[in-house]
Amino acid sequence: MVKISNKTILLLCVFAFALIYRLLTLHLDYYPPGADIGLHNSVLHSITLSGETNFQWNYYHMGGGLSLTFPGYHIFASYIVLITGLPEYLVFSLTIALFSSLIVLCSFLITKAAWGLSAGLIVAFLVTISRFDIEMLLWGGYPNSAALMLIPLIFYFYLQKKRFSSFSFLLITGLLSAAIFLSHSLTSVIFVIITLSTILILIIIPKRMLIAKKQTLFWISSLIIGLIIISPFLVNIIPAYLGKNSGTFTGGVSDIQQALLSTRILPIEWIIPLFCSAFIFLLFSKKYKGKFLTISSILFLIWLLVPVISTQGYLIGLYVDYNRFLYFVILPIIILFGLGFDHASNFFSRIINNYRSAKKLDYSKKPTSPKKQKNFIYRIFHNNIYGVFVLFFLILSFFALPIFLTPFRGRTIQSFYQVMNDPGYETISWAKENTRNDSVFVSDAHYGWWLSGFAQRPTLSAVDPQFLTLEREFEPAQVANNLLDTNYVVDNGLIQVREDGGYIGRHNPMFLAKLNWTYFPYPFFHFNNAENTILVKIDKRYELFDLMQLETTEMQIQNSSNQVSVQIKKSNDYLNYTQNITVYSGVRFVDLSIILESDLLNVSIINANYLLHTKGELLEIENSVGFIDEGSKVLGQIIFDENQLRYTQVTVENPSGFYLTYLFNEKNNLKIDLSFGVFSVSDDPEIYQTEESRNNYLMQILYSNLLSYPEVLTNSTIEFFSYSEAISDWNISYVACRDFAILPKFVADPGFHLVFINDEVAVFRVNSYFYKKE
């Protein structure tokens, strides 16, 4: 009968706890959280379609097209689905909970091999409650987690080469390396860099490392074997990475690059401590091994330094989501904590035991064997006190350190990533059963990925650029973002205008600044048609209309080489209302003209009132007003004909309201002309030291703009979005909308027809006349 040690039983209990903890966190709600699970299911169904398998093509994700998602995990999951018949989302959660829990065992093995059994057990428990490992499951990073599990396992074999024959070592490490290469691209790159960097250092100083060059040859050979095993896949995927999609990583796609630089750069306050902490492994090596430089200390040092340094890739023109490198940092950091807890517990237990031995041992009563008695008591007390301190540090870390996850914090994070519920999945089932297989859907970023993967319909998802990895994904993501938000977008590189059209009172229009410190435009001014009113006199009675009470009769966008105009026409029985927005190439001001007229002799217009939503503090000059948002260093300016206008500031808060009142004196037609500009101003702190110096600087800009308008500053091209053209160009069939605040945009528009709705999602079918060019 095989005898199992207490420590083995303890390790298995920790593993079981890790598995249960992950499964419970994944299924606090019935459906697993995260949007990426939809991507994984679209990959799974793309590679299991009948016919020849193409690992580089996803038929559903972001409208369908090139896919560079490494399929190792998805191939494994597809076999589990085939064998068990379980729902795909349940297979995903069960398999990835298992892989993530196996990290506990792998971390134990690598820590035990490098630093000892006690440290290995401590690290195993810490990995069990690692927030970042569990959070990766919650947002759906399944291939990431599976590949990360393999890195410490391979490193364990590297350190334990002498325990295996050459054939066994190369076979096992070659297969494990191939599994990494087939499962996740970024993990593959980091793993190879860590391995090769460690080999380079070991070759440079082999005598001090006490390692033969032959052993490093085995490490390299395992990488080569892994590459050979999956070479048929790599032969096709590498050219795709280095070809059409290379610009995504080297800056060729400026929008993705700028979005990454705006949102995903890690603060230097994180990088410096992480960089310095890597060298603590050398100190622990001195304590545990008796010297600073050992194979283990160098491997762990490089293991931590490579991803930390990679977070600064933008300095050399490498553009990826820099936050992803943190996932490679977590296990080495946890091992550092485990070593610290092990060392501190040993230290304190020795001090206490020495004190207790000195106080409690009476050698005069047992003169025959004082040494044995002392060692016996020391061993009992040392082990118990060591365990008490370890338990104390583990409990303290569980509740006090943010890198570890309590159930309460786990619930909060799980709720943050939760996408799917019963009504949402009901909509997916409806789409799968009631729409054509080639129907193109549009939805928001998170739900769209579920829709594409589980309904198996090509879906344009409104994903922000910083979360995209392929060049071809940018345009469909922008189309989805715009379509779910507004009807028209015009951008000349200096200012952006968004117009919701005539069917919803919200942004009619909105003016946004193009700032020099962020990719994302900064909303500054906007009108809302539901808040803008017109007072008319009909015979001898007065009637007040808001602009949403007027029927939308025409919407169109017109473009030429140097300007783009958006025209909205509305009317009722008494009034005709025409709004024109004109954006010019190279000009940072946008013209807004409004024509109010009546064809009836008994109708006259008394006044028109517009509520302008704005940010910043009011600055007044002749025929113009400015608004300064000092915190964001953004200045907005409106140029107008003062003879037509009376204005009143509603509030002085930021954001604030600003009433524009036009007096018509009972005329039956009038034209309103306004020009809007929004732009960055200097962030020099000396300018803002006093109110006087600030106002002098800002007034100078306002007066200069008033005199020079409409000065052409650049020769930039104008980019524009028209929702009708986008629907036609992308052959969009359905819109799945979860934002009920935007529903009137689709409900009132005759181009859309509501075909399904529940508490979570409304689905609109696109009417056929959109497929005709304007």
Side-chain angles (χ1 to χ4, degrees):
M1 182 176 179
V2 178
K3 184 178 181 181
I4 302 177
S5 67
N6 292 335
K7 291 184 178 180
T8 301
I9 295 174
L10 176 61
L11 179 62
L12 293 176
C13 290
V14 172
F15 169 76
F17 173 71
L19 181 60
I20 295 170
Y21 195 33
R22 281 154 173 74
L23 282 173
L24 289 177
T25 306
L26 280 169
H27 288 283
L28 288 172
D29 293 315
Y30 181 76
Y31 300 96
D36 282 44
I37 187 175
L39 165 63
H40 303 318
N41 208 44
S42 68
V43 173
L44 185 151
H45 281 275
S46 293
I47 65 179
T48 56
L49 282 177
S50 60
E52 184 178 353
T53 298
N54 184 356
F55 290 121
Q56 298 178 61
W57 198 263
N58 190 317
Y59 294 94
Y60 315 108
H61 185 64
M62 299 304 292
L66 177 69
S67 172
L68 297 183
T69 302
F70 282 33
Y73 170 75
H74 308 92
I75 294 172
F76 175 82
S78 67
Y79 279 108
I80 302 300
V81 172
L82 181 64
I83 294 170
T84 64
L86 292 172
E88 292 98 334
Y89 59 81
L90 188 57
V91 169
F92 283 129
S93 63
L94 290 173
T95 55
I96 202 55
L98 175 62
F99 283 132
S100 180
S101 300
L102 287 173
I103 297 178
V104 173
L105 300 182
C106 296
S107 62
F108 165 78
L109 289 175
I110 183 67
T111 308
K112 175 179 176 290
W115 311 104
L117 176 61
S118 298
L121 290 171
I122 295 172
V123 168
F125 180 79
L126 292 177
V127 172
T128 298
I129 58 174
S130 168
R131 168 183 169 171
F132 287 90
D133 285 308
I134 298 175
E135 188 171 359
M136 190 185 302
L137 309 186
L138 297 181
W139 60 256
Y142 301 160
N144 316 48
S145 184
L148 282 174
M149 178 268 296
L150 298 173
I151 290 181
L153 183 58
I154 295 176
F155 288 166
Y156 165 76
F157 283 102
Y158 284 175
L159 296 181
Q160 298 293 301
K161 166 63 181 66
K162 295 180 180 180
R163 298 183 59 184
F164 304 92
S165 67
S166 298
F167 176 78
S168 299
F169 176 85
L170 292 176
L171 178 64
I172 295 172
T173 56
L175 289 173
L176 292 175
S177 298
I180 290 181
F181 298 151
L182 191 61
S183 297
H184 197 252
S185 56
L186 185 60
T187 304
S188 302
V189 173
I190 295 298
F191 165 65
V192 170
I193 294 176
I194 293 172
T195 301
L196 294 181
S197 300
T198 305
I199 290 173
L200 180 62
I201 294 178
L202 296 179
I203 291 176
I204 292 174
I205 43 178
K207 291 183 179 180
R208 298 194 63 185
M209 297 297 101
L210 298 178
I211 182 173
K213 291 185 179 180
K214 183 179 178 181
Q215 186 167 338
T216 62
L217 182 61
F218 277 104
W219 293 17
I220 296 176
S221 298
S222 67
L223 297 180
I224 296 174
I225 291 172
L227 293 172
I228 292 173
I229 292 173
I230 66 161
S231 57
F233 171 73
L234 295 178
V235 166
N236 293 318
I237 203 72
I238 290 178
Y241 261 106
L242 300 180
K244 293 182 179 180
N245 200 58
S246 61
T248 306
F249 308 105
T250 59
V253 184
S254 61
D255 291 273
I256 296 178
Q257 170 192 342
Q258 293 171 21
L260 285 169
L261 295 177
S262 297
T263 61
R264 309 302 286 177
I265 292 180
L266 298 175
I268 196 65
E269 294 82 3
W270 293 12
I271 302 304
I272 293 177
L274 288 173
F275 182 86
C276 295
S277 64
F279 295 92
I280 300 177
F281 282 115
L282 302 181
L283 300 179
F284 279 123
S285 180
K286 179 66 174 177
K287 172 63 181 176
Y288 283 84
K289 306 289 187 179
K291 53 184 177 180
F292 292 107
L293 298 178
T294 63
I295 302 175
S296 300
S297 63
I298 294 299
L299 176 60
F300 280 81
L301 172 71
I302 300 299
W303 190 356
L304 186 49
L305 283 182
V306 166
V308 170
I309 294 173
S310 298
T311 61
Q312 306 304 297
Y314 62 92
L315 297 175
I316 58 172
L318 179 64
Y319 301 99
V320 294
D321 185 349
Y322 306 106
N323 283 261
R324 295 185 181 183
F325 291 110
L326 289 179
Y327 292 105
F328 302 96
V329 168
I330 293 305
L331 184 53
I333 289 294
I334 289 177
I335 291 174
L336 272 181
F337 274 106
L339 294 176
F341 294 165
D342 180 53
H343 176 65
S345 299
N346 270 310
F347 175 77
F348 288 122
S349 62
R350 280 198 306 270
I351 292 178
I352 294 175
N353 282 328
N354 289 337
Y355 174 79
R356 297 182 68 169
S357 296
K359 292 293 184 180
K360 293 188 176 182
L361 288 177
D362 188 356
Y363 298 110
S364 60
K365 295 182 180 180
K366 295 182 180 180
T368 58
S369 56
K371 185 175 181 180
K372 291 183 179 181
Q373 184 180 12
K374 181 180 179 181
N375 289 340
F376 173 76
I377 295 176
Y378 178 87
R379 193 162 54 249
I380 292 176
F381 282 116
H382 175 78
N383 290 339
N384 289 339
I385 295 173
Y386 169 83
V388 169
F389 274 103
V390 167
L391 183 62
F392 168 76
F393 285 125
L394 292 178
I395 294 175
L396 180 66
S397 63
F398 188 43
F399 290 101
L401 296 179
I403 66 171
F404 301 113
L405 191 69
T406 64
F408 311 105
R409 196 181 300 137
R411 178 58 177 175
T412 302
I413 296 174
Q414 184 269 347
S415 298
F416 175 79
Y417 288 111
Q418 188 66 39
V419 175
M420 194 50 56
N421 53 24
D422 285 335
Y425 203 80
E426 177 191 17
T427 307
I428 289 175
S429 299
W430 176 89
K432 190 172 183 178
E433 295 170 2
N434 295 277
T435 63
R436 291 166 50 96
N437 291 341
D438 60 351
S439 298
V440 179
F441 278 73
V442 169
S443 192
D444 62 86
H446 297 152
Y447 190 75
W449 285 22
W450 271 83
L451 186 62
S452 65
F454 288 90
Q456 286 98 61
R457 297 294 183 270
T459 304
L460 313 185
S461 303
V463 182
D464 287 337
Q466 65 270 26
F467 300 113
L468 301 174
T469 56
L470 300 179
E471 290 184 25
R472 69 101 182 160
E473 294 175 341
F474 176 74
E475 189 174 356
Q478 287 297 94
V479 168
N481 264 309
N482 290 332
L483 184 58
L484 290 173
D485 178 66
T486 191
N487 282 358
Y488 302 100
V489 181
V490 186
D491 190 326
N492 68 358
L494 300 172
I495 187 171
Q496 184 182 105
V497 182
R498 305 178 79 88
E499 169 60 59
D500 286 351
Y503 299 113
I504 182 174
R506 197 181 59 133
H507 301 148
N508 313 107
M510 171 181 278
F511 303 91
L512 303 93
K514 300 298 292 289
L515 305 180
N516 52 19
W517 50 268
T518 179
Y519 165 78
F520 297 96
Y522 184 69
F524 199 89
F525 295 125
H526 81 268
F527 293 104
N528 181 339
N529 277 346
E531 300 169 343
N532 301 330
T533 61
I534 302 170
L535 179 64
V536 299
K537 182 179 180 181
I538 306 169
D539 293 325
K540 294 183 179 181
R541 61 187 174 86
Y542 294 89
E543 287 200 26
L544 185 69
F545 308 102
D546 67 60
L547 295 184
M548 288 306 298
Q549 293 176 280
L550 306 181
E551 180 184 356
T552 300
T553 58
E554 184 180 349
M555 298 190 302
Q556 63 175 336
I557 188 167
Q558 300 173 336
N559 68 293
S560 64
S561 58
N562 62 349
Q563 69 180 55
V564 174
S565 298
V566 177
Q567 185 178 80
I568 312 291
K569 290 186 177 181
K570 302 169 76 72
S571 67
N572 63 8
D573 293 338
Y574 309 105
L575 287 173
N576 296 315
Y577 180 92
T578 303
Q579 173 188 285
N580 282 292
I581 306 165
T582 306
V583 180
Y584 303 94
S585 175
V587 178
R588 63 181 179 182
F589 279 83
V590 174
D591 286 345
L592 173 64
S593 67
I594 298 170
I595 299 175
L596 279 166
E597 56 186 354
S598 176
D599 298 329
L600 303 177
L601 296 178
N602 64 332
V603 175
S604 57
I605 305 172
I606 305 301
N607 62 47
N609 290 281
Y610 293 85
L611 176 59
L612 177 67
H613 296 267
T614 181
K615 295 181 179 179
E617 176 187 342
L618 176 64
L619 304 168
E620 298 181 82
I621 64 172
E622 184 180 359
N623 292 336
S624 181
V625 293
F627 296 86
I628 176 63
D629 186 352
E630 189 171 329
S632 299
K633 301 297 183 290
V634 179
L635 179 64
Q637 185 173 3
I638 310 172
I639 300 174
F640 50 81
D641 182 354
E642 192 175 16
N643 294 327
Q644 302 179 47
L645 173 66
R646 294 179 181 177
Y647 59 81
T648 306
Q649 188 173 19
V650 180
T651 60
V652 295
E653 291 82 5
N654 184 12
S656 64
F658 189 74
Y659 262 123
L660 305 173
T661 301
Y662 287 87
L663 303 178
F664 283 56
N665 298 321
E666 300 191 15
K667 296 180 181 179
N668 61 358
N669 65 81
L670 195 67
K671 183 180 181 183
I672 299 171
D673 291 304
L674 295 167
S675 297
F676 291 82
V678 193
F679 32 83
S680 294
V681 292
S682 173
D683 60 355
D684 184 355
E686 292 187 4
I687 295 175
Y688 304 93
Q689 284 185 351
T690 66
E691 184 175 355
E692 181 181 1
S693 63
R694 185 202 69 162
N695 288 345
N696 288 338
Y697 166 72
L698 298 174
M699 288 297 184
Q700 184 178 357
I701 296 176
L702 295 177
Y703 277 113
S704 176
N705 289 336
L706 190 61
L707 295 174
S708 62
Y709 173 78
E711 179 185 8
V712 177
L713 302 179
T714 68
N715 293 321
S716 60
T717 58
I718 304 177
E719 297 180 355
F720 66 91
F721 166 84
S722 167
Y723 81 116
S724 56
E725 291 185 12
I727 288 172
S728 175
D729 292 343
W730 287 88
N731 198 30
I732 295 169
S733 307
Y734 295 90
V735 176
C737 181
R738 294 197 302 162
D739 183 0
F740 278 41
I742 200 70
L743 284 189
K745 170 178 165 346
F746 300 105
V747 171
D749 193 325
F752 300 93
H753 178 65
L754 181 66
V755 293
F756 180 88
I757 190 170
N758 58 24
D759 293 339
E760 182 71 15
V761 189
V763 180
F764 296 88
R765 186 181 65 239
V766 177
N767 290 335
S768 59
Y769 76 78
F770 269 129
Y771 302 122
K772 301 175 182 179
K773 295 293 183 182
E774 291 181 346

